[in-house]
Amino acid sequence: MEQETLTCKTCGCESLRPMQVVLDDEDEEVRHLLGEEQESRFYSCQLCGDNWLSVKEKTAAGDCTITFVHQMGTSPVLKRVAHMDNPIVVSDENVEEWEYYKGDEPVPEDTWRDLLSDRRETLKATCMN
């Protein structure tokens, strides 16, 4: 079976691969901490190395959050959290509120986007040289 490939937002190549993150049976403690209504996907560009992890969590009340951790392994961590009222359809129209973080500190959206853009420009420059 051929693996799905998407266009990378950093280098523009069709080299971004999404992968489902599956916990092993030995990860029961982690599964308990995350809850049963949790789904994770890791996206990684095979060319420039850009990556992010998305973690979708549903609450008992039916609300949903999706946390995106961008460029894992780079410090400080850039994270954004979407609060949604519809866990089935994932789109910007369903997002009630976005929260943006640099490390553990909340930051304004434009600050967060500038940081991510700077990192992506660095990756792109490294990849193109």
Side-chain angles (χ1 to χ4, degrees):
M1 179 170 116
E2 192 170 316
Q3 189 175 22
E4 177 183 15
T5 303
L6 305 171
T7 302
C8 177
K9 293 178 184 179
T10 298
C11 67
C13 296
E14 288 190 25
S15 54
L16 187 71
R17 298 189 185 262
M19 296 168 270
Q20 190 75 31
V21 177
V22 180
L23 297 175
D24 295 336
D25 290 338
E26 297 100 45
D27 296 325
E28 197 60 40
E29 183 177 332
V30 173
R31 187 184 319 274
H32 175 72
L33 291 172
L34 292 175
E36 293 299 320
E37 295 293 319
Q38 184 265 348
E39 176 185 326
S40 300
R41 290 190 84 167
F42 182 71
Y43 297 81
S44 178
C45 178
Q46 304 301 299
L47 184 62
C48 72
D50 193 11
N51 67 71
W52 70 87
L53 175 70
S54 69
V55 180
K56 179 178 175 181
E57 299 174 275
K58 298 177 198 172
T59 66
D63 294 332
C64 176
T65 61
I66 302 178
T67 302
F68 299 90
V69 181
H70 288 268
Q71 297 180 337
M72 296 184 62
T74 306
S75 187
V77 171
L78 293 181
K79 178 172 70 171
R80 64 183 177 147
V81 181
H83 296 272
M84 303 170 38
D85 59 0
N86 184 344
I88 308 287
V89 180
V90 178
S91 69
D92 284 338
E93 292 83 36
N94 293 92
V95 177
E96 294 176 352
E97 177 187 11
W98 282 101
E99 294 178 292
Y100 297 88
Y101 296 89
K102 176 183 172 188
D104 292 331
E105 297 296 318
V107 294
E109 178 181 358
D110 58 343
T111 300
W112 186 90
R113 290 199 179 276
D114 287 346
L115 289 166
L116 182 62
S117 179
D118 288 349
R119 285 187 182 178
R120 285 183 167 166
E121 284 299 318
T122 300
L123 280 174
K124 185 176 180 178
T126 303
C127 170
M128 299 303 169
N129 283 332

